[in-house]
Amino acid sequence: MPDSLHRCSWCGTDPLYVAYHDTEWGVPEHDARALWEKLVLDGFQAGLAWITILRKRESLRAAFAGFDPEVVAGFGEADRARLMADPGIIRSGAKIDAAIRGAQVFVEMRDRGEDFSGWLWSFVDGRPVQTAPATRAEVPAQTPVSVDMARALKARGFGFCGPVITYAFMQATGMVNDHVAGCFRCEEVRAMGGA
């Protein structure tokens, strides 16, 4: 039986992309480690299609110790060389360095008693922004909030987190619900955000 659900057009028909849209994208994420993982993945996506990241996600998880910030923060030159030689991941030295530095910043924040999740969610006052755009064309590439978040992340030492990447991160982690009106996930995700 064909799938008759209406979805956001960006996910197309690739089963991996459709599953991501239907189960993950826009769901409010509050776990600090999971948020850091998604920020790293969005950074790795810079200049690439998101489907590329989805296809490499398990390899990236394995290469980066399950995205355990404590472990990744301790990566040294041997780890960097291992990552650069791993054909299962995106082998960009700058992106790998940004992931390692981001883990170090995450750990530094935690050790100072700062909650990474609470800090990120403070940019949207702790609640998802509900949009329900009529079409994909109405979805912005960035917003003033993503500009502020990008600036704050960079000031902390995170890399590959410009305002466009940061907005994609906000959409992915449910800080913004940009499922289009008519998409079956729009109201489901809205309910998850307490709206």
Side-chain angles (χ1 to χ4, degrees):
M1 181 173 160
D3 185 347
S4 61
L5 292 173
H6 294 290
R7 292 181 173 86
C8 299
S9 62
W10 59 260
C11 69
T13 59
D14 183 293
L16 189 60
Y17 228 171
V18 170
Y20 174 72
H21 170 274
D22 290 0
T23 62
E24 289 185 61
W25 194 73
V27 173
E29 179 61 72
H30 292 277
D31 178 76
R33 191 220 53 82
L35 285 166
W36 178 71
E37 174 180 346
K38 288 186 178 188
L39 185 64
V40 171
L41 291 174
D42 273 310
F44 268 103
Q45 189 232 338
L48 303 171
W50 182 244
I51 191 67
T52 302
I53 302 305
L54 290 178
R55 289 179 180 142
K56 292 183 176 280
R57 181 161 56 170
E58 291 310 314
S59 294
L60 284 159
R61 281 182 176 148
F64 284 92
F67 286 105
D68 180 336
E70 190 79 42
V71 175
V72 177
F75 277 10
E77 284 305 313
D79 296 293
R80 187 180 188 280
R82 170 185 57 82
L83 292 166
M84 287 297 292
D86 186 340
I89 70 168
I90 288 83
R91 294 181 286 184
S92 160
K95 292 177 181 180
I96 290 167
D97 291 344
I100 295 168
R101 178 64 189 136
Q104 293 166 348
V105 174
F106 179 100
V107 170
E108 289 164 7
M109 289 176 70
R110 185 203 63 209
D111 290 350
R112 286 193 305 266
E114 292 181 85
D115 175 39
F116 187 63
S117 176
W119 179 70
L120 288 170
W121 277 91
S122 73
F123 287 90
V124 291
D125 296 325
R127 293 180 58 91
V129 175
Q130 305 293 339
T131 64
T135 67
R136 184 177 177 191
E138 292 180 17
V139 178
Q142 64 183 33
T143 64
V145 174
S146 77
V147 170
D148 289 345
M149 184 184 285
R151 187 176 297 122
L153 283 162
K154 287 178 182 177
R156 296 277 181 142
F158 290 95
F160 284 92
C161 56
V164 173
I165 289 172
T166 304
Y167 192 66
F169 166 76
M170 293 173 70
Q171 292 170 309
T173 59
M175 293 178 194
V176 176
N177 177 8
D178 269 345
H179 282 281
V180 296
C183 171
F184 84 100
R185 287 293 281 169
C186 184
E187 291 306 316
E188 290 180 359
V189 169
R190 181 183 302 274
M192 292 175 193

